[in-house]
Amino acid sequence: MRGRRWIVGLAVFVVLGVGVGAFAWALPTVAATACPQCYGLSDRGGRLYADSDEARYRQLLDEADRRITAFYGERTSTPRVLICTTAECYRRIGGGGEKGRAIRNWSLMLSPAGANVTIATHELSHVEFHERLGSASGSVPDWFDEGLAVLVSDDARYLKPAGEPDRCLVPYEQALPIVDADWGDATHGGVDRPYLLAACVVSRWTAANGGSAAVLDAIAQLRAGADFPAVVSVPR
């Protein structure tokens, strides 16, 4: 709730025009979240903002919401969703070379290449996970956050189909080093193999501990102050 009030305050700040130019230049992603219309995005209803009125955007967001609800039981986060149909639009709102990105638990932005159900669900997973964790978000390593987002989005690039006894696309022993790796270094230059490795470890841990219920239990323990390594014990 505090994050929502902050966005409202920021929106007022932008509308009043107090230092808007400097602020928007420095933090366009946050400014675009507060005022999507200021960046050429129209309100399409239901927290969706886009530079096009394509009906498929509403459909992909509805399906992404369904996947989040299917995993967590309900969706607690209500982020704004900003979709761009052009690279110029995406750069204007602060995007880079990625397909999509989550701005804390406030919003998610999708590039032209990321305007699909898989990427939308991946980014919504980050938002939902962080919303549920609250102040405990900082205790979760990137490999788990990203691996979980791959699992929730059911990304076929990095996982075998649901229903397979082992969803890893590489031997588990080859995936384990991602647990101790620096995520920034591992993904430097746009390398995406770390997502495959993280998805393997997270899917194996989740399956061995009761599915999505294990994630919900981990969230509860982390919010209560438990240490991540004690909550998520990865078999070595």
Side-chain angles (χ1 to χ4, degrees), residues 31-113:
T33 294
C35 184
Q37 295 90 336
C38 299
Y39 287 76
L41 303 180
S42 299
D43 186 349
R44 306 299 177 184
R47 77 184 200 281
L48 172 63
Y49 297 82
D51 61 347
S52 167
D53 62 356
E54 293 185 44
R56 69 183 182 93
Y57 292 154
R58 169 55 54 194
Q59 295 168 358
L60 78 84
L61 181 56
D62 287 346
E63 175 58 21
D65 280 342
R66 188 195 67 76
R67 293 188 184 186
I68 294 295
T69 300
F71 188 87
Y72 284 101
E74 64 175 335
R75 180 174 53 78
T76 62
S77 58
T78 55
R80 288 184 167 182
V81 180
L82 282 54
I83 301 181
C84 282
T85 59
T86 68
E88 178 185 359
C89 167
Y90 193 61
R91 285 193 299 270
R92 187 166 62 245
I93 64 175
E98 71 283 342
K99 289 183 174 67
R101 62 190 302 187
I103 312 303
R104 300 192 64 174
N105 57 345
W106 306 326
S107 68
L108 63 113
M109 306 179 346
L110 299 176
S111 72

Side-chain angles (χ1 to χ4, degrees), residues 72 74-77 124-132:
Y72 284 101
E74 64 175 335
R75 180 174 53 78
T76 62
S77 58
L124 278 175
S125 174
H126 289 311
V127 174
E128 181 70 18
F129 190 44
H130 292 189
E131 176 81 8
R132 289 171 176 269

Side-chain angles (χ1 to χ4, degrees), residues 8-216:
V8 172
L10 176 58
V12 172
F13 175 84
V14 171
V15 170
L16 290 177
V18 182
V20 172
F23 181 83
W25 177 84
L27 291 171
T29 56
V30 179
T33 294
C35 184
Q37 295 90 336
C38 299
Y39 287 76
L41 303 180
S42 299
D43 186 349
R44 306 299 177 184
R47 77 184 200 281
L48 172 63
Y49 297 82
D51 61 347
S52 167
D53 62 356
E54 293 185 44
R56 69 183 182 93
Y57 292 154
R58 169 55 54 194
Q59 295 168 358
L60 78 84
L61 181 56
D62 287 346
E63 175 58 21
D65 280 342
R66 188 195 67 76
R67 293 188 184 186
I68 294 295
T69 300
F71 188 87
Y72 284 101
E74 64 175 335
R75 180 174 53 78
T76 62
S77 58
T78 55
R80 288 184 167 182
V81 180
L82 282 54
I83 301 181
C84 282
T85 59
T86 68
E88 178 185 359
C89 167
Y90 193 61
R91 285 193 299 270
R92 187 166 62 245
I93 64 175
E98 71 283 342
K99 289 183 174 67
R101 62 190 302 187
I103 312 303
R104 300 192 64 174
N105 57 345
W106 306 326
S107 68
L108 63 113
M109 306 179 346
L110 299 176
S111 72
N116 58 67
V117 173
T118 300
I119 302 301
T121 308
H122 182 110
E123 300 306 331
L124 278 175
S125 174
H126 289 311
V127 174
E128 181 70 18
F129 190 44
H130 292 189
E131 176 81 8
R132 289 171 176 269
L133 284 167
S135 60
S137 291
S139 66
V140 178
D142 290 331
W143 69 263
F144 188 87
D145 193 0
E146 294 293 349
L148 179 62
V150 172
L151 179 63
V152 175
S153 65
D154 196 25
D155 196 329
R157 294 174 299 172
Y158 308 125
L159 287 171
K160 291 180 182 178
E164 291 280 346
D166 181 4
R167 302 193 66 184
C168 294
L169 290 176
V170 297
Y172 182 72
E173 294 72 21
Q174 291 184 20
L176 267 178
I178 196 63
V179 172
D180 299 313
D182 180 277
W183 187 260
D185 290 342
T187 56
H188 181 70
V191 177
D192 64 355
R193 181 174 171 79
Y195 292 90
L196 182 150
L197 305 181
C200 174
V201 177
V202 173
S203 66
R204 177 75 69 90
W205 177 85
T206 303
N209 289 278
S212 59
V215 176
L216 294 174

